[in-house]
Amino acid sequence: MEVEISPKESRKAYGGEGGEYYAWSAGDLPMLAVAEKGAAKLVLGGRGLAIPSYSDSAKIAYVLEGSGRAGIVLPEASERVVAIRKGDAIALPFGAVAWWFNDSSEADLTVLFLGDTSKAHKRGEFTDFQLTGASGIFTGFTAEFAGRAFDLSEQEASRLVRSQPSGGIVKLKEGFQIPEPSEMDREGLVLNCEEAPLDVDVERGGRVVVVSSQNLPLVGDCGFGGDLVKLNGGAMCSPGFSCDSAFQVTYITKGSGRVQVVGIEGKRVLETAVKAGSLFIVPRFFVVSKIADAGGMQWFSIVTTPNPVFTHLAGKTSVWKALSPQVLKASFNVSPETEELFRSKRTSDSIFFPPPQLTATPSAETE
């Protein structure tokens, strides 16, 4: 499989006074098209509003930084307005109309979007349809059609449709009131990965929160799941692969480290340093492992199944521990003593391995 999988950073697609929208293209990262996945990032400044839009792709939105509000309208349902903050994951199935607002003047609101483009107009890229604005849907209709649709005169419809000259993102004036959020509306729609129960917690190693249809039901409608992983400084994430033919789309949210990916015929297809802002994709059945730098590393991923299952090749839950000694010895072509030494290692470590040498001070950790 000769496809470039080196990590890439996003490029600005559009923006204005209220904020910017960034995207990764299949031209820069061909694996997006191969995996039929998309990635984008919205950065809203103070009072910035991303006007209502829908997409040709199902997505998971993940709040990287800041806080604000979001309005979600699912097909044939009422608007749900929720307060959003760092660590929130929001499932956006097909047909969902969403708007995003930064109600703070102190810090940016940054939202990551990862999703499925198998039904999109462009494989590997999202196409969003804005309901209004310079490139809004109704700017394409004649005044006659818009007027008939809204029960307005042609003059009234034309004025309504063309009164917003900005495209996609605007900045609201102080005092303009946006709907207040409801805590009840968060239920079943939003999961805060920073506060959710841990699915994996390894002392001095790392922690995982899995986003699945069990804790965020709408993920099932999207057709894929996700996870937030925090790896302590110097710790290693066990080599492993998705055993249900899923691609892994990974965005480094904080810190830095190193990544290796090994594929067909034992070929190392990626060996690189990664940092916050990097995005890369692991092909199906390829084995990936990561080691965090001293400051730790954190990432958010989607896996192309709503309830992902991984096979690990090191640690107490690895397939090696399940194989019989005879098969292991014959497979490696080693002596019984070497097989026993190999089997005696990593008997308590699972998925994450702490740094090999501990100092008097605790290892650094990505908060």
Side-chain angles (χ1 to χ4, degrees):
M1 186 176 185
E2 299 296 331
V3 178
E4 171 64 39
I5 65 172
S6 297
K8 304 293 182 183
E9 296 189 13
S10 59
R11 295 175 183 264
K12 182 178 176 180
Y14 61 85
E17 188 179 3
E20 297 86 31
Y21 181 84
Y22 299 82
W24 283 263
S25 74
D28 291 336
L29 188 56
M31 270 302 300
L32 285 170
V34 174
E36 297 183 325
K37 296 295 166 284
K41 186 165 57 176
L42 174 68
V43 181
L44 292 177
R47 306 289 298 170
L49 171 72
I51 61 179
S53 67
Y54 64 93
S55 179
D56 63 356
S57 306
K59 307 173 186 176
I60 290 181
Y62 180 75
V63 181
L64 295 170
E65 295 290 346
S67 61
R69 304 177 200 179
I72 312 294
V73 181
L74 299 175
E76 299 183 351
S78 300
E79 180 185 55
R80 298 169 68 177
V81 180
V82 295
I84 56 174
R85 59 186 183 274
K86 181 181 178 181
D88 278 348
I90 304 121
L92 300 171
F94 285 113
V97 173
W99 55 261
W100 309 85
F101 177 61
N102 182 359
D103 55 13
S104 168
S105 59
E106 303 297 323
D108 288 346
L109 169 63
T110 305
V111 184
L112 173 72
F113 300 95
L114 301 177
D116 173 42
T117 66
S118 60
K119 296 180 175 65
H121 288 276
K122 298 178 182 179
R123 287 197 309 166
E125 298 180 27
F126 301 138
T127 298
D128 295 330
F129 296 84
Q130 295 158 3
L131 298 190
T132 185
S135 56
I137 287 294
F138 275 91
T139 61
F141 283 103
T142 63
E144 177 195 1
F145 271 64
R148 289 283 296 275
F150 296 145
D151 192 21
L152 297 172
S153 69
E154 292 188 17
Q155 184 180 9
E156 292 168 334
S158 180
R159 184 167 59 248
L160 174 70
V161 168
R162 303 188 184 281
S163 60
Q164 176 54 270
S166 300
I169 300 172
V170 298
K171 183 173 182 177
L172 301 184
K173 294 180 180 179
E174 290 291 340
F176 191 97
Q177 297 297 313
I178 286 291
E180 291 294 325
S182 166
E183 189 64 29
M184 290 183 59
D185 281 346
R186 283 178 62 93
E187 186 174 349
L189 185 66
V190 184
L191 173 73
N192 189 275
C193 298
E194 300 277 357
E195 302 170 0
L198 296 172
D199 292 280
V200 177
D201 186 7
V202 177
E203 186 178 2
R204 302 191 310 275
R207 297 156 305 289
V208 180
V209 169
V210 176
V211 181
S212 69
S213 57
Q214 276 71 47
N215 54 15
L216 191 58
L218 276 177
V219 162
D221 294 339
C222 293
F224 50 85
D227 57 30
L228 175 68
V229 181
K230 297 182 178 182
L231 194 61
N232 282 39
M236 179 183 194
C237 183
S238 167
F241 65 93
S242 172
C243 58
D244 43 14
S245 72
F247 290 93
Q248 301 174 57
V249 184
T250 299
Y251 176 86
I252 307 298
T253 63
K254 192 174 184 180
S256 60
R258 293 175 290 140
V259 177
Q260 290 188 2
V261 178
V262 176
I264 299 169
E265 296 182 346
K267 181 180 178 181
R268 189 186 315 124
V269 295
L270 181 65
E271 180 177 14
T272 190
V274 291
K275 61 181 181 179
S278 299
L279 181 93
F280 65 98
I281 301 174
V282 179
R284 291 181 292 188
F285 300 110
F286 282 34
V287 177
V288 60
S289 184
K290 309 176 187 73
I291 297 177
D293 288 339
M297 183 165 63
Q298 178 175 307
W299 62 88
F300 186 81
S301 299
I302 63 166
V303 181
T304 54
T305 176
N307 297 293
V309 179
F310 290 92
T311 292
H312 293 278
L313 301 181
K316 70 177 183 180
T317 59
S318 78
V319 66
W320 293 114
K321 302 299 184 186
L323 290 170
S324 62
Q326 296 90 337
V327 171
L328 193 153
K329 183 169 58 177
S331 299
F332 277 118
N333 189 27
V334 295
S335 67
E337 292 76 19
T338 301
E339 185 277 327
E340 290 177 5
L341 175 65
F342 177 79
R343 190 175 292 276
S344 69
K345 302 295 185 179
R346 298 292 187 207
T347 58
S348 60
D349 297 324
S350 175
I351 304 179
F352 301 126
F353 310 140
Q357 293 182 343
L358 298 177
T359 63
T361 58
S363 62
E365 179 178 321
T366 298
E367 296 295 338

